[in-house]
Amino acid sequence: MSIQFVGFLFLILGIILFAATKAGSAYDAKAGYGLSAFFIVYALLFEIAGYLDSELMSILIFPLPVGAGMTLLGFWMIMKGFLYSLEMEGTYIECKYRGRPLFRRREYYTLIFTYRANNRTIKSCSEDNYILYDIKKKYEPGQVYKIWVNPKNLQDFRVKRFSGVPGGLLVIAVFGVGLLFTIIQWILKMPGMG
């Protein structure tokens, strides 16, 4: 498979993500447009690398930045739970439709709670997502539950403090290991290293 073909696939994927986000399929429009731009920019970089026929540029434009960026994203997803350090009690009101991630059948919802912080009542949506079955099974309107609030932004809270940990570990496992193998291969190809 040539690098130009990979660039073409990235361009198609970027266009599909853009169209899906525009149609409202992404539950976070900024992330959807950001991913779309990422794939389109990298499609152009792949085409340039193929045109220049440069193996080094192929390594520098894709595996290193993507692997490093995604690995850092994985660590951020794990560490973000520590931002929600203010333990409080909140009253569950209802759930609100968040969306359906691309290529998935499940629909996700966010929980709406009211809680008191800094002598004011706050009504906000949780940052974590749930499927409707889990919400109906675990939460009852009007009941009080423990929540975790970000002290720097009192509108921002989670019901599960470390809800991003599994996703973060998966991202690190996939991209971090891939990044490590890419760096090792790159070092071994350097003159005088093997």
Side-chain angles (χ1 to χ4, degrees):
M1 182 184 311
S2 73
I3 195 163
Q4 287 97 344
F5 184 68
V6 173
F8 175 73
L9 292 177
F10 267 57
L11 180 63
I12 297 297
L13 188 57
I15 292 169
I16 290 170
L17 285 170
F18 180 83
T21 303
K22 188 118 177 113
S25 294
Y27 58 79
D28 186 348
K30 288 181 184 176
Y33 287 126
L35 279 173
S36 171
F38 166 82
F39 280 106
I40 291 171
V41 167
Y42 266 93
L44 296 173
L45 290 174
F46 276 132
E47 293 300 322
I48 292 169
Y51 176 74
L52 296 176
D53 196 27
S54 170
E55 185 178 317
L56 177 62
M57 187 172 175
S58 300
I59 290 172
L60 293 177
I61 66 169
F62 188 67
L64 289 180
V66 172
M70 294 303 285
T71 302
L72 290 173
L73 175 67
F75 280 114
W76 171 245
M77 290 168 70
I78 293 169
M79 298 306 293
K80 197 173 178 186
F82 291 105
L83 293 177
Y84 298 88
S85 59
L86 196 57
E87 184 179 349
M88 304 182 98
E89 289 188 340
T91 304
Y92 170 64
I93 305 297
E94 62 184 341
C95 63
K96 175 181 168 187
Y97 181 70
R98 172 67 59 91
R100 182 185 310 199
L102 200 59
F103 307 121
R104 289 199 182 168
R105 293 183 184 172
R106 291 183 173 180
E107 294 180 338
Y108 286 90
Y109 294 81
T110 184
L111 305 175
I112 300 174
F113 274 76
T114 59
Y115 52 95
R116 299 244 340 130
N118 282 355
N119 295 324
R120 63 186 176 124
T121 301
I122 298 172
K123 181 178 179 182
S124 185
C125 295
S126 68
E127 197 233 27
D128 37 8
N129 300 308
Y130 298 87
I131 58 174
L132 195 56
Y133 173 79
D134 289 339
I135 293 172
K136 289 180 177 180
K137 190 169 96 174
K138 296 178 184 176
Y139 300 100
E140 188 176 322
Q143 295 297 313
V144 175
Y145 299 92
K146 180 169 65 172
I147 61 171
W148 296 90
V149 179
N150 181 352
K152 293 182 180 177
N153 180 5
L154 297 175
Q155 294 282 117
D156 198 14
F157 79 95
R158 285 183 176 181
V159 179
K160 291 182 182 175
R161 184 177 183 190
F162 292 102
S163 62
V165 169
L169 290 174
L170 180 65
V171 167
I172 291 170
V174 171
F175 289 95
V177 171
L179 176 64
L180 183 63
F181 282 121
T182 301
I183 291 171
I184 290 170
Q185 285 179 353
W186 189 34
I187 290 172
L188 292 176
K189 286 185 179 182
M190 292 175 73
M193 295 298 289

